[in-house]
């Protein structure tokens, strides 16, 4: 892509809000040239580590475009524990750009695995450098609410669904989400859940996988206890899963 087009394409520049570097904008163009994306609309979420935009495919389907921000050294340090010990990232580059791209690729692969065994996660579509494209979960361009903002009508049932999710992801997908909480679970009006944000997920063989699994269970149980659901002890559920391994 020539810089000329970039200059002229003020609309795209506006959407990207001058947050992203030249390299990221070029990657957006590559996704457009590949026919994965035809337009990028406004931002739906601005976080510390990533921004999520609504995009549209040439077929007219909504997609979520998650763009990781360039890594700060502090952030990178905090994420190292997920990367080290993951055989898929043995040769992960140590430079900030290489690292963030590897992180994005990891989220894509984790999603693929979870999606392929039928779990309720967004269908992964493509990735390019620090950009992940996936199915848009929401209606009319508005994402479904997160569990933290919209407690379920039937919390007991939703807890069971989430436990089923954790178990199947571990036993069949051989993955641990490792960042599971009410902040990364969407809920539809009928109390159906969708789980997002798979960047941190690790393989079951990761040396800290059991600790991550325990933490996921603790976080989920804490949330449901705040809704007065009788959860039982996290260790009990952890043992139940590990026994079936
Ligand atoms: N597939 C999707 N469809 C619709 N909205 C999405 C999708 N994925 C993410 N979002 C929206 O973007 C928000 C942030 O996504 P996500 O949790 O994956 O990023 P994050 O890594 O937590 O970012 P940060 O921690 O920097 O906020 C979600 O809470 C949700 O509102
Ligand atoms: Mg999140």
């Amino acid at each position: 892509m020539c810089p000329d087009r970039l200059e002229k394409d003020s609309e795209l520049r506006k959407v990207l809000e001058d947050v992203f570097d030249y390299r990221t904008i070029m990657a957006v163009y590559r996704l457009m040239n590949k026919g994965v994306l035809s337009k990028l609309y406004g931002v739906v979420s601005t976080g510390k580590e990533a921004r999520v935009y609504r995009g549209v495919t040439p077929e007219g389907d909504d997609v979520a475009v998650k763009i990781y921000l360039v890594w700060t050294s502090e952030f990178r340090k905090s994420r190292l524990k997920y990367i080290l010990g993951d055989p898929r990232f043995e040769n992960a580059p140590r430079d900030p750009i290489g690292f963030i791209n590897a992180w994005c690729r990891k989220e894509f692969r984790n999603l693929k695995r979870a999606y392929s065994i039928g779990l309720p996660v967004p269908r992964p579509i493509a990735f390019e450098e620090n950009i992940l494209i996936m199915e848009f979960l929401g209606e009319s361009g508005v994402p479904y609410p997160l569990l933290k903002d919209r407690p379920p009508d039937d919390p007991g049932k939703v807890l069971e669904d989430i436990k089923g999710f954790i178990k199947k992801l571990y036993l069949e997908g051989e993955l641990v989400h490792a960042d599971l909480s009410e902040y990364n679970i969407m809920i539809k009006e009928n109390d159906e859940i969708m789980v997002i944000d798979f960047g941190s997920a690790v393989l079951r063989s990761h040396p800290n996988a059991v600790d991550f699994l325990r933490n996921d269970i603790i976080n989920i149980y804490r949330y449901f206890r705040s809704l007065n659901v009788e959860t039982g002890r996290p260790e009990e559920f952890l043992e139940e899963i590990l026994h079936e391994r």
Side-chain angles (χ1 to χ4, degrees), residues 128-148:
E128 181 82 36
E129 306 242 1
N130 53 332
I131 305 172
L132 167 65
I133 306 218
M134 62 192 141
E135 173 190 6
F136 190 92
L137 302 176
E139 262 161 36
S140 317
V142 180
Y144 295 123
L146 298 174
L147 203 50
K148 75 171 177 78

Side-chain angles (χ1 to χ4, degrees), residues 61 71 79 112 130 146 161 170 178 180 183 190 209 218 229:
D61 297 321
W71 225 246
R79 297 289 138 154
K112 251 177 112 169
N130 53 332
L146 298 174
D161 289 348
Y170 188 80
L180 199 63
Y183 286 79
N190 59 1
I218 289 173
V229 177

Side-chain angles (χ1 to χ4, degrees), residues 49 66 146 179 183-184 196-197:
E49 53 184 273
K66 183 172 181 176
L146 298 174
D179 192 18
Y183 286 79
N184 285 326
I196 58 168
D197 208 356

Side-chain angles (χ1 to χ4, degrees), residues 11 16 53 58 74 89 95 101 103 111 114 125 129 141-143 145 175 179 181 187 192 198 236:
E11 204 184 335
L16 293 174
Y53 296 83
E74 195 190 320
F89 293 91
D95 64 290
N101 291 355
W103 188 260
L111 274 178
I125 297 170
E129 306 242 1
V142 180
L175 278 181
D179 192 18
S181 75
I187 181 150
E192 208 181 297
F198 273 73
E236 248 168 60

